[in-house]
Amino acid sequence: MHELTPQLIHSLKHYSKATFVNDLIAGLIVAIIALPLSIALALASGVAPEQGLYTAIVAGFIVAALGGSKVQITGPTAAFATVVAGIVAKNGMEGLAVATVLAGLILILMGLLRMGSMIKFIPYTITIGFTAGIAVTIIIGQLKDFFGLTFSQAPVGTIQKLEEAALTFNTLSLPALGVGCLALAILIFWPLVFKKIPGSIVAVIVTAAVVKLLDLPVNTIGDLYTISSSLPHFTMPAFSYETVAAVLPDTFTIAVLAAIESLLSAVVADEMIGARHNSNMELVAQGAGNAASAFFGGIPATGAIARTAANIKSGGSSPISGMIHAVILLLVLVLLMPSAALIPMPCIAAILFQVAYNMSGWRTVIEVIKHSPLSDAAVLIVTFLLTVMFDLVVAIVVGLSLACLLFMKRMADVTEVKEWQYVEDSGDEQGRMKPVPPQVMVYELTGPIFFGAADKIPHIERNTGHKALVLRMRSVPAMDITAINSLHRLYDECKSKNIQMVFSHVNEQPMSVFQKSGMYDLVGAENFQPNIDAALERAATLAA
């Protein structure tokens, strides 16, 4: 599956009426699940409720049609909520649209450049760290609506929202809290009794009816937003140098996060259905879906793990189910969207609480901290804290930098440069050591030799009486130019003391570095031997 061919084309080759019926049922169920989530996530992102549906409709349909996964469902997700809210607060809807289109282009380019395997370069600790951090930011962001608080200002940052909630907690509204708790109870206990009807739909209907019938003083979506049931229409974002420069960091955040979330979701789906997705095609599709979402008034989208899992469990087996889910949401937008005005805000907050809890993976976080090396736990905790206290960009940059530094330290720690213990010194002629010719010394190099370990290359600071130095490199998988520079320094030291250097068993990557740097020619091809026996023989000749 290396070619860029949508999974839809492969699936249609063996499509049947029975498969369509299963996809139709799955698409309907997923649309019912996606309806309240799309509205809730739009509100959490600081945009109008219908924009969540625009995203699920446009991006959901395009990614399903062009994607590399059989069952991936795409739409607005909790991972983007705080990112989008921050962009809207700083640069407005125009800035968000420009950032999303540019992120879409980056995703398409990543797919065309075959970068679908990039997910393996994101450490697990960073992924679960920022995911847990996003969950906490979502919970903090919904405290106002869940408790019916009256803020004296409109804070943007997560810590500022928490501080404002604490300062205004005396404005708590008992009716709002009661409605929020009712919604939360339905979300928790309804699935234990009725598994086929999503608890979020039941919570929305019940709480809306309670607030309306009892005339409770609780804010609804209609009280705070003007809801439109019009179809999404094409709008060209106002691209300008100033806007692009302002949103460029957010553009890369959207692109990287969309790639990570979508490919993670696709991997989870593969495990559930025993298939394999085309990661490069998935990136191209996610890019096209995000760009189209922005052109039609939507927000960033990505593969949604929970909705994808629901699609699989409901019988969806081809991209058709994802396309049907988008079409059903389009019908809901046109026919039923005005009814969304009745949904109480505490119910929306409760739905987002559940989403945040499910995505937090707190059990995994605890397990990783308990059973991982201290350095891995530190990366997780730092990423989590930075996500909550600052933003996702800072968290990922610092987390990746810290993870890379720790990785380099580990690689440097396992790198060793040791002189052989010679038979004549130990007196152990039965041991595994090879006899070394007189006036020859041998050093064994083990592990990658790079800038973090180049200082382990020995010095020849005095006349030792030896005439040849053998460097055995069979256990060196890779090296860089810093290592070459250290070896060049060693070569100069040996030359000044009339010691000849011989290399034994240089692997492919180190050999290419030797050749490109010119040191291969400097030392001489005859002094690069394929194994230790040949190297010792060459050294004996030079020392004679």
Side-chain angles (χ1 to χ4, degrees):
M1 295 186 66
H2 293 293
E3 76 280 4
L4 293 174
T5 304
Q7 181 59 48
L8 178 63
I9 294 177
H10 297 294
S11 296
L12 289 177
K13 291 178 182 178
H14 308 287
Y15 206 66
S16 65
K17 181 179 178 181
T19 306
F20 174 75
V21 171
N22 289 334
D23 284 341
L24 179 63
I25 294 171
L28 175 61
I29 293 173
V30 173
I32 293 172
I33 295 171
L35 174 61
L37 283 178
S38 298
I39 294 172
L41 291 168
L43 297 178
S45 302
V47 301
E50 65 271 14
Q51 289 180 268
L53 288 183
Y54 292 168
T55 307
I57 292 166
V58 177
F61 188 90
I62 290 176
V63 175
L66 300 179
S69 171
K70 288 183 178 181
V71 290
Q72 179 96 288
I73 300 294
T74 297
T77 60
F80 275 123
T82 53
V83 175
V84 172
I87 298 172
V88 172
K90 288 186 296 182
N91 302 297
M93 288 303 303
E94 280 295 333
L96 175 64
V98 171
T100 307
V101 171
L102 293 177
L105 295 177
I106 291 173
L107 285 166
I108 292 173
L109 186 61
M110 288 167 65
L112 295 177
L113 293 176
R114 305 297 197 272
M115 295 176 65
S117 60
M118 62 161 285
I119 188 173
K120 67 184 179 183
F121 297 108
I122 306 296
Y124 182 58
T125 48
I126 290 179
T127 303
I128 61 176
F130 76 64
T131 302
I134 290 170
V136 171
T137 62
I138 291 172
I139 291 172
I140 292 174
Q142 296 307 308
L143 294 177
K144 175 181 180 292
D145 290 329
F146 189 81
F147 291 101
L149 304 178
T150 302
F151 280 8
S152 59
Q153 55 181 324
V156 176
T158 301
I159 300 300
Q160 288 75 24
K161 289 179 181 178
L162 184 60
E163 291 174 348
E164 187 67 13
L167 291 172
T168 61
F169 199 74
N170 60 323
T171 64
L172 180 145
S173 167
L174 290 178
L177 179 60
V179 171
C181 290
L182 174 62
L184 208 52
I186 293 172
L187 291 169
I188 294 171
F189 296 109
W190 179 267
L192 301 178
V193 183
F194 303 98
K195 295 186 178 179
K196 299 212 169 177
I197 302 176
S200 55
I201 286 289
V202 178
V204 164
I205 294 172
V206 170
T207 56
V210 168
V211 171
K212 183 70 174 175
L213 294 175
L214 300 181
D215 195 23
L216 296 177
V218 175
N219 281 334
T220 63
I221 292 179
D223 295 330
L224 304 179
Y225 301 92
T226 300
I227 298 179
S228 171
S229 60
S230 61
L231 293 173
H233 59 278
F234 182 87
T235 304
M236 176 62 72
F239 287 92
S240 67
Y241 175 80
E242 291 76 13
T243 304
V244 171
V247 302
L248 202 55
D250 299 313
T251 295
F252 286 103
T253 301
I254 292 171
V256 171
L257 187 56
I260 293 172
E261 289 288 313
S262 298
L263 296 180
L264 275 176
S265 178
V267 169
V268 172
D270 286 350
E271 292 173 354
M272 294 180 71
I273 64 175
R276 187 176 181 183
H277 72 283
N278 183 333
S279 57
N280 295 314
M281 191 66 240
E282 187 65 25
L283 288 179
V284 171
Q286 290 291 338
N290 272 277
S293 175
F295 284 131
F296 285 92
I299 60 177
T302 183
I305 295 176
R307 274 160 274 174
T308 298
N311 182 37
I312 296 169
K313 292 177 182 178
S314 302
S317 59
S318 83
I320 297 294
S321 61
M323 298 165 70
I324 290 173
H325 130 271
V327 172
I328 293 172
L329 287 176
L330 179 63
L331 296 175
V332 170
L333 172 69
V334 175
L335 302 176
L336 301 176
M337 193 57 184
S339 301
L342 301 175
I343 302 174
M345 293 304 295
C347 178
I348 294 293
I351 291 173
L352 289 170
F353 280 172
Q354 186 186 51
V355 169
Y357 176 84
N358 289 337
M359 75 177 290
S360 67
W362 62 270
R363 293 182 181 86
T364 303
V365 171
I366 292 173
E367 285 297 311
V368 170
I369 292 176
K370 284 173 62 178
H371 301 296
S372 296
L374 183 60
S375 57
D376 287 337
V379 171
L380 189 159
I381 293 170
V382 168
T383 305
F384 169 79
L385 291 176
L386 291 177
T387 302
V388 175
M389 293 189 293
F390 297 98
D391 58 45
L392 200 57
V393 179
V394 175
I396 291 179
V397 169
V398 175
L400 271 176
S401 300
L402 184 58
C404 289
L405 288 172
L406 290 170
F407 174 76
M408 288 187 288
K409 183 182 182 303
R410 288 172 183 165
M411 291 298 98
D413 288 344
V414 301
T415 299
E416 291 184 345
V417 180
K418 287 186 177 180
E419 186 174 7
W420 272 19
Q421 183 180 5
Y422 305 114
V423 172
E424 60 269 21
D425 295 335
S426 67
D428 181 14
E429 297 187 9
Q430 301 301 317
R432 297 174 61 189
M433 295 169 292
K434 291 179 178 292
V436 176
Q439 297 183 308
V440 175
M441 51 184 168
V442 182
Y443 279 82
E444 184 96 26
L445 282 67
T446 304
I449 311 294
F450 65 110
F451 60 88
D455 63 323
K456 295 185 178 182
I457 301 295
H459 285 267
I460 306 296
E461 298 176 343
R462 57 186 177 80
N463 288 316
T464 61
H466 294 93
K467 293 186 178 180
L469 168 65
V470 175
L471 295 179
R472 192 185 193 195
M473 299 183 64
R474 66 171 184 170
S475 298
V476 177
M479 61 189 297
D480 66 2
I481 195 64
T482 306
I484 284 290
N485 185 59
S486 294
L487 288 171
H488 198 294
R489 182 263 304 157
L490 177 62
Y491 173 81
D492 290 338
E493 292 175 357
C494 288
K495 186 176 180 182
S496 68
K497 296 173 177 58
N498 295 316
I499 299 173
Q500 297 292 322
M501 286 179 65
V502 179
F503 291 90
S504 167
H505 197 148
V506 179
N507 290 306
E508 182 178 356
Q509 192 277 343
M511 181 62 81
S512 68
V513 179
F514 273 115
Q515 292 170 341
K516 287 182 181 179
S517 67
M519 194 167 176
Y520 181 84
D521 295 327
L522 180 66
V523 176
E526 66 279 6
N527 291 324
F528 284 84
Q529 297 296 323
N531 54 60
I532 188 62
D533 292 324
L536 290 174
E537 184 177 340
R538 171 63 180 168
T541 302
L542 294 171

